[in-house]
Amino acid sequence: MTAPVDDAPWWQRAVFYQVYPRSFADADGDGVGDLAGIRAHLADLAWLGVDALWISPFFRSPMADFGYDVSDYCDVDPLFGDLAAFDALVADAHRLGLRVIIDWVPNHTSDRHPWFVDAASSRDSAHRDWYVWRDPEQDGSPPNNWVAAFDLDAPAWTFHEPTGQWYLHMFESAQPDLNWDEPAVESAMLDTVRFWLDRGVDGFRADVIHGIGKDHALPDDPPEVEGIPHCALNDVPVTHERLRTIRTLLDDYPDDRVMVGEVFLMSTDAVATYYGHDDELHLAFNFPPLFAPWLAGRWAGCIDAARRALDPRGAWPTWVLSNHDNARHRTRYDRAAARAGEDTATGTRRSEARARAAAVLLLTLRGTPFVYQGDELGLLDADVPEDRRVDPGGRDGCRAPYPWDGSPDHGWATPDGVTTWLPFPPGADSRNHEALAAEPGSILHLYRRTLALRRATPALVLGAMEMLGSPDDTLAYRRELAGDTCTVLVNFSGGDVDVTALGRVGAEVLLASDDPAPAGGWSGVLGPDQAVVLRG
Ligand code: TEU
């Protein structure tokens, strides 16, 4: 029975691959990736077996936040190419069966965006109310206690001397927050969405989307908020109204355009509300798993929280292990293990095994997975020496350029004297796309095999998911669709775990994270940091 698979929207069936354009591939040899570079490697992504790309910002930008400070939403920054290069990329992607979603940054613009330049020109300017301005307190201090995302000691406000008011910025002072209470802002931003939909994009990843609504009173934040800058909360009802307007716009276009929102709240229950009642975001990132350590209990908690929050709404989950804002999961797991006393020899052995098992976990949970570029090579964060650090948020390590081959410039064709904007990740001489593609046992091939298994197994894509009781340090779940079932077992420990009690000895092993060609029936024992998928 294949009907449910065909009926489900593509974005529920898809595996997304996040491209960070500065670091993916460089066609013009300036040491920074570009759209033509991405286009030249689309066939590699089709070979890998992902379904869709999310491309981080490539719009005109002064690059104070590497593209998340947009000065023209409807043009390509010359660093990355031009609109024709974008159109060519989308056309080629579609020919290869790959969908393309792009980043949309609605919470803030660059301070060099013509709207802000005008807003700052005088209190009476046409665009003044497009941003959030407030008079100083009596003692001259900012209007409230909100702090900026990258420097928790600095206020989320910058005083603008010439006009004598503070303006709000959840991030850098070069990223003033838009005032969505001003109807002209909403309509101008909706026009930017239409612009790209008309050009044929399949949807958007919406940056800090929960920021587009803010409490008018701008109340002080409570003293402690877990893990995120206070003003990132912004959890107010008007945001949901705005999301419904955006959803209507998207749904009025043909072909199931999608919006996946970055709702940077650490509560899965709170994130769930941004799906509305199937009338707000199609998908929302759920970040607790992005910060979860490699521990079965923590993962069981994340899975349970997602089910409890999303299932009653009929909302479809998403899963993310890494992105351009945080240390890669392999690096995170290694660091946590080292802190917990794991010795170097054990750590080296376990590091790759953990990354492999995590890949199988990511790609077999119920929901839409997002693979961050380079995780399929098992990359670690780059060690970025102090004199090459560039990001105000300290996120350079996970943004290292993608090593395509083992040559000195790793396929980046940089002429003498030009270096890539960041150093390569460790071990790129051997850990690169070309070398791993030539090695059937590599993690790259494991990703490819797992993606192929997903495509061939509707139960893994849309099937129901049932957690099975399993020993400590392991997770076991069954995926089922129309009578087809498979079972996934994951060992989070560095030793063998006997799982015979699950009664699956002898079952056919469809996939094993450490073995390219598992033969014979399942032994009932999970190896160290091993994940397996069994038929039935
Ligand atoms: O990120 C939102 C966000 O809250 C994180 O940047 C977080 O504050 C940070 O990881 C803490 O280290 C989005 C984008 O993904 C990010 O790249 C941008 O810098 C940010 O918005 C501003 O646009």
Side-chain angles (χ1 to χ4, degrees):
M1 207 177 107
T2 54
V5 181
D6 296 337
D7 279 355
W10 67 269
W11 42 264
Q12 292 188 347
R13 288 175 276 136
V15 176
F16 281 80
Y17 182 93
Q18 181 190 353
V19 173
Y20 190 71
R22 297 182 69 88
S23 303
F24 189 59
D26 183 15
D28 64 5
D30 65 354
V32 179
D34 46 42
L35 296 179
I38 301 172
R39 183 176 171 214
H41 285 286
L42 289 173
D44 294 309
L45 298 179
W47 172 84
L48 179 62
V50 294
D51 305 285
L53 278 62
W54 148 32
I55 310 178
S56 281
F58 49 78
F59 317 105
R60 278 194 188 263
S61 165
M63 304 288 163
D65 189 14
F66 298 104
Y68 284 96
D69 50 321
V70 180
S71 55
D72 183 348
Y73 288 92
C74 299
D75 202 2
V76 173
D77 196 279
L79 188 64
F80 296 119
D82 54 21
L83 285 168
F86 180 77
D87 293 342
L89 190 173
V90 172
D92 277 8
H94 285 170
R95 263 195 292 278
L96 287 164
L98 296 166
R99 291 198 160 81
V100 178
I101 70 167
I102 63 172
D103 231 296
W104 183 53
V105 188
N107 177 70
H108 46 267
T109 68
S110 160
D111 62 347
R112 309 240 210 109
H113 194 294
W115 300 337
F116 188 77
V117 172
D118 181 54
S121 68
S122 101
R123 287 203 190 194
D124 307 321
S125 72
H127 294 89
R128 184 70 173 183
D129 293 339
W130 286 39
Y131 295 86
V132 185
W133 300 92
R134 287 291 186 277
D135 288 331
E137 297 295 286
Q138 294 240 301
D139 63 355
S141 60
N144 67 19
N145 70 355
W146 294 2
V147 292
F150 304 137
D151 178 0
L152 302 185
D153 294 327
W157 298 91
T158 289
F159 190 66
H160 186 248
E161 293 281 354
T163 56
Q165 286 189 308
W166 296 88
Y167 67 85
L168 176 66
H169 50 88
M170 276 170 52
F171 296 88
E172 291 284 281
S173 61
Q175 295 166 287
D177 278 37
L178 281 163
N179 173 23
W180 275 70
D181 292 338
E182 167 60 49
V185 165
E186 179 168 290
S187 93
M189 289 306 291
L190 294 181
D191 280 347
T192 68
V193 168
R194 284 190 197 96
F195 176 86
W196 292 103
L197 289 173
D198 290 340
R199 281 201 114 79
V201 301
D202 298 291
F204 302 88
R205 174 268 190 189
D207 192 59
V208 290
I209 187 77
H210 59 304
I212 65 174
K214 291 180 179 91
D215 187 336
H216 284 271
L218 301 177
D220 273 352
D221 274 319
E224 282 308 321
V225 180
E226 193 198 353
I228 47 169
H230 297 178
C231 69
L233 283 176
N234 285 321
D235 200 8
V236 293
V238 69
T239 310
H240 299 277
E241 269 170 49
R242 290 173 188 157
L243 288 176
R244 286 191 285 275
T245 305
I246 295 166
R247 172 67 175 256
T248 305
L249 194 171
L250 286 166
D251 286 355
D252 279 349
Y253 275 76
D255 306 325
D256 285 340
R257 313 296 171 103
V258 69
M259 183 167 281
V260 49
E262 186 201 30
V263 180
F264 209 98
L265 301 174
M266 287 306 125
S267 147
T268 304
D269 286 331
V271 169
T273 65
Y274 288 79
Y275 287 80
H277 301 280
D278 197 20
D279 57 358
E280 297 185 26
L281 293 171
H282 301 89
L283 295 172
F285 287 132
N286 176 38
F287 285 145
L290 176 70
F291 299 107
W294 185 241
L295 292 173
R298 290 289 291 277
W299 270 92
C302 286
I303 293 167
D304 187 49
R307 288 153 56 97
R308 274 188 294 106
L310 300 179
D311 287 3
R313 295 175 170 269
W316 188 250
T318 63
W319 299 100
V320 183
L321 297 176
S322 300
N323 64 22
H324 65 293
D325 286 337
N326 298 282
R328 289 181 181 276
H329 61 279
R330 178 168 183 175
T331 298
R332 276 192 294 116
Y333 299 159
D334 288 3
R335 283 184 191 155
R339 278 197 302 273
E342 183 174 81
D343 69 43
T344 319
T346 313
T348 306
R349 176 175 58 72
R350 291 194 62 187
S351 177
E352 170 105 6
R354 281 191 288 252
R356 284 169 170 262
V360 175
L361 175 69
L362 173 73
L363 297 173
T364 58
L365 289 169
R366 181 173 177 274
T368 299
F370 287 75
V371 175
Y372 179 48
Q373 72 178 36
D375 278 353
E376 77 280 16
L377 303 181
L379 294 184
L380 289 161
D381 277 16
D383 250 328
V384 183
E386 213 165 315
D387 63 345
R388 293 196 65 183
R389 291 185 197 155
V390 288
D391 177 46
R395 300 163 295 185
D396 297 320
C398 63
R399 298 176 175 180
Y402 191 101
W404 286 100
D405 61 35
S407 68
D409 66 9
H410 299 300
W412 277 63
T414 39
D416 282 352
V418 177
T419 42
T420 48
W421 75 289
L422 285 171
F424 286 97
D429 288 347
S430 51
R431 189 175 290 284
N432 57 64
H433 192 277
E434 186 180 75
L436 299 192
E439 210 187 291
S442 68
I443 186 169
L444 177 62
H445 278 275
L446 171 67
Y447 268 88
R448 185 165 185 256
R449 272 198 308 282
T450 313
L451 289 162
L453 178 66
R454 251 183 88 96
R455 280 201 183 176
T457 315
L460 282 178
V461 182
L462 290 173
M465 178 163 147
E466 182 199 350
M467 298 306 290
L468 307 173
S470 67
D472 283 355
D473 294 332
T474 68
L475 279 188
Y477 46 92
R478 184 180 292 129
R479 302 291 313 274
E480 188 272 331
L481 185 74
D484 278 337
T485 50
C486 49
T487 302
V488 182
L489 306 168
V490 187
N491 180 4
F492 290 75
S493 80
D496 289 346
V497 179
D498 187 324
V499 204
T500 45
L502 277 171
R504 305 303 316 281
V505 176
E508 182 188 351
V509 182
L510 296 171
L511 183 99
S513 60
D514 58 339
D515 182 353
W522 161 238
S523 69
V525 177
L526 277 170
D529 300 298
Q530 189 197 34
V532 297
V533 184
L534 307 178
R535 187 187 297 284

